[in-house]
Amino acid sequence: MSTKKIVVLGGPGDGFSLAEAIQFAERAGRDVKLVGFLNDVLPRGEILHSVPVLGALNDWREVDSDVQFIPAIQKVGDMPQRARRIEDLRIPDDRWGTFVHPAAVVSSDVEIGCGSFVLSCATVQPAARIGRFAGVRAGAMLGHHCEIGDHTYVGPNATMCGRSVLERGAYLGPGAVLMDGRVMSQFSLAGIAAAVTKDVPEYWVVFGNPARRVGWVKRPQSKP
């Protein structure tokens, strides 16, 4: 089996968490290798986590064709813009990779979309579905029949109870809990340790126990 080569889209932050997970898997004997980063801010050649920045995100065409990409550019309150940035790259589906940490527990029937990652000590129970370009951070728990859509984010130690749903671009913050059967609509945000007991409308920001609306996620501007 050939080694799976990965370039991380991003940098310090979630990008480092993903990079460390890939390198951990390599040290554990998995056929995977971190090749470098693409980053819109840092200069080409700078060393991050022992591998180089290969260029900006738009330079993906310069990367060898046997390398796959995984984005780790999710950011609280900025999910609509980050989702658009990924999609505007027009990277073909066969160039997007997926990654599951060796210390994660993912049921055999779980579907994971391209460009998504699941980090250490996360648990994904049977019949769950993970969309494209989604991030599941360390210690998160996705219950049975959960669904998380494209560009979603499940923070460290967050919990999705059975049959709950994160729609496109929704963000479940660290330690937050989404009650069984409840839906967080597209680009909504639940803050740290929020207890989400009711459906959350799109672009709402909720905090607290029980979670209540405290603001809105900024909607993206229309393209000219």
Side-chain angles (χ1 to χ4, degrees), residues 19-32 49-50 101-102:
E20 172 58 30
I22 296 167
Q23 291 174 330
F24 177 91
E26 182 180 2
R27 294 192 297 270
R30 301 291 178 90
D31 291 319
V32 62
H49 225 276
S50 77
H101 195 288

Side-chain angles (χ1 to χ4, degrees), residues 186-208:
Q186 67 170 345
F187 297 116
S188 59
L189 187 161
I192 294 172
V196 183
T197 60
K198 298 180 179 179
D199 292 350
V200 180
E202 61 182 33
Y203 292 93
W204 275 30
V205 176
V206 298
F207 273 85

Side-chain angles (χ1 to χ4, degrees), residues 58-112:
N58 287 336
D59 296 325
W60 66 267
R61 293 176 181 85
E62 301 177 15
V63 178
D64 291 344
S65 60
D66 62 342
V67 174
Q68 294 185 316
F69 305 104
I70 302 179
I73 63 172
Q74 298 95 340
K75 184 178 179 182
V76 60
D78 198 35
M79 297 294 275
Q81 292 75 17
R82 299 303 174 98
R84 174 180 287 180
R85 183 73 183 99
I86 291 170
E87 293 176 351
D88 284 350
L89 293 171
R90 307 295 184 192
I91 297 176
D93 283 355
D94 62 359
R95 296 296 306 275
W96 291 112
T98 60
F99 179 79
V100 176
H101 195 288
V105 178
V106 178
S107 296
S108 60
D109 64 345
V110 170
E111 296 179 4
I112 302 177

Side-chain angles (χ1 to χ4, degrees), residues 12-221:
D14 280 355
F16 273 17
S17 296
L18 177 56
E20 172 58 30
I22 296 167
Q23 291 174 330
F24 177 91
E26 182 180 2
R27 294 192 297 270
R30 301 291 178 90
D31 291 319
V32 62
K33 182 177 181 61
L34 179 67
V35 174
F37 290 85
L38 293 179
N39 188 283
D40 281 341
V41 177
L42 299 174
R44 186 189 297 258
E46 181 163 335
I47 301 301
L48 296 180
H49 225 276
S50 77
V51 295
V53 174
L54 303 175
L57 270 60
N58 287 336
D59 296 325
W60 66 267
R61 293 176 181 85
E62 301 177 15
V63 178
D64 291 344
S65 60
D66 62 342
V67 174
Q68 294 185 316
F69 305 104
I70 302 179
I73 63 172
Q74 298 95 340
K75 184 178 179 182
V76 60
D78 198 35
M79 297 294 275
Q81 292 75 17
R82 299 303 174 98
R84 174 180 287 180
R85 183 73 183 99
I86 291 170
E87 293 176 351
D88 284 350
L89 293 171
R90 307 295 184 192
I91 297 176
D93 283 355
D94 62 359
R95 296 296 306 275
W96 291 112
T98 60
F99 179 79
V100 176
H101 195 288
V105 178
V106 178
S107 296
S108 60
D109 64 345
V110 170
E111 296 179 4
I112 302 177
C114 66
S116 295
F117 63 85
V118 179
L119 297 188
S120 61
C121 302
T123 300
V124 186
Q125 295 187 358
R129 298 292 180 267
I130 297 174
R132 297 155 53 93
F133 315 119
V136 179
R137 289 291 305 275
M141 201 289 288
L142 277 61
H144 63 85
H145 297 89
C146 283
E147 296 183 15
I148 70 174
D150 297 349
H151 302 287
T152 51
Y153 181 90
V154 184
N157 299 313
T159 297
M160 295 180 65
C161 298
R163 302 184 188 278
S164 59
V165 176
L166 294 182
E167 292 186 348
R168 173 182 168 85
Y171 187 108
L172 187 65
V177 177
L178 179 59
M179 186 176 173
D180 57 289
R182 297 299 185 261
V183 177
M184 288 186 59
S185 300
Q186 67 170 345
F187 297 116
S188 59
L189 187 161
I192 294 172
V196 183
T197 60
K198 298 180 179 179
D199 292 350
V200 180
E202 61 182 33
Y203 292 93
W204 275 30
V205 176
V206 298
F207 273 85
N209 183 1
R212 295 180 174 84
R213 182 181 60 78
V214 297
W216 291 268
V217 172
K218 183 179 180 180
R219 292 175 182 263
Q221 295 181 348

